[in-house]
Amino acid sequence: MQQEVVLAMLAKEPSHGYELRARLRDALGPLGEAMNAGQVYVTLTRLERAGLLTAERSADGADRADRKVYALAPDGQQRVAAWIAETSWPKPDLAEFHLKLIAAAAAGLADPLAIVDTQRRELLRRLRDAQRAAVAEPEHSAAALLLEGIVLRLQADLRWLEACERAWTHRRSGS
């Protein structure tokens, strides 16, 4: 599980591991059903050891991982902010980018429409570069096929970002 996703889901409020897992399931819908609960706790433990989050025992005093309340540490907050601002593509898969939008909106970290717009500008730049390279490449070269695939992927990703923009605009207007 991507550590930044877990950190971002904690940006809204401190949570137990099972609450965090439930929020991830809600955000991912059917894709979240296959999520391994153990992986969430392994990730939380790693993040705690790295100093990116803190964990306090619940009021019942149990030391079990599912009874700890996890919260972002200052270094974790910085890591989330850097992740939200990141525009690398196709590194974030669609589920990760979707979770970035959900976490940013829920915790007030950033405007999801601004994240979509930033990502769109980056993809348009990459599309322009790929199209220029494709035009310069001999028609039947091996590289031409790769460049065509890159252009098609970027065009599809841009269409998906348009769908994200429509959905988040709809959410904002409350319609």
Side-chain angles (χ1 to χ4, degrees), residues 39-101:
Q39 187 61 39
V40 172
Y41 289 104
V42 167
T43 302
L44 288 168
T45 300
R46 286 183 184 151
L47 292 169
E48 182 182 7
R49 285 186 192 141
L52 298 172
L53 55 84
T54 61
E56 294 184 15
R57 290 189 182 116
S58 294
D60 65 11
D63 194 26
R64 295 177 22 204
D66 64 344
R67 296 292 183 222
K68 290 181 180 179
V69 176
Y70 296 91
L72 283 181
D75 286 349
Q77 292 169 341
Q78 289 176 352
R79 180 118 164 233
V80 169
W83 179 69
I84 292 291
E86 182 180 277
T87 59
S88 63
W89 199 275
K91 181 193 167 219
D93 63 25
L94 298 183
E96 181 185 336
F97 188 77
H98 174 73
L99 287 171
K100 183 186 285 193
L101 297 175

Side-chain angles (χ1 to χ4, degrees), residues 62-161:
D63 194 26
R64 295 177 22 204
D66 64 344
R67 296 292 183 222
K68 290 181 180 179
V69 176
Y70 296 91
L72 283 181
D75 286 349
Q77 292 169 341
Q78 289 176 352
R79 180 118 164 233
V80 169
W83 179 69
I84 292 291
E86 182 180 277
T87 59
S88 63
W89 199 275
K91 181 193 167 219
D93 63 25
L94 298 183
E96 181 185 336
F97 188 77
H98 174 73
L99 287 171
K100 183 186 285 193
L101 297 175
I102 296 284
L109 299 168
D111 177 9
L113 289 172
I115 294 170
V116 169
D117 188 54
T118 300
Q119 194 66 58
R120 178 187 303 111
R121 284 194 310 273
E122 175 62 16
L123 291 184
L124 285 169
R125 182 192 65 75
R126 290 180 186 197
L127 177 60
R128 216 175 22 257
D129 291 348
Q131 287 171 327
R132 284 184 187 135
V135 167
E137 190 64 30
E139 188 175 341
H140 296 291
S141 72
L145 181 59
L146 173 61
L147 289 166
E148 181 181 359
I150 291 169
V151 166
L152 292 171
R153 165 74 191 264
L154 289 167
Q155 289 171 338
D157 289 343
L158 284 163
R159 284 194 298 279
W160 185 70
L161 286 176

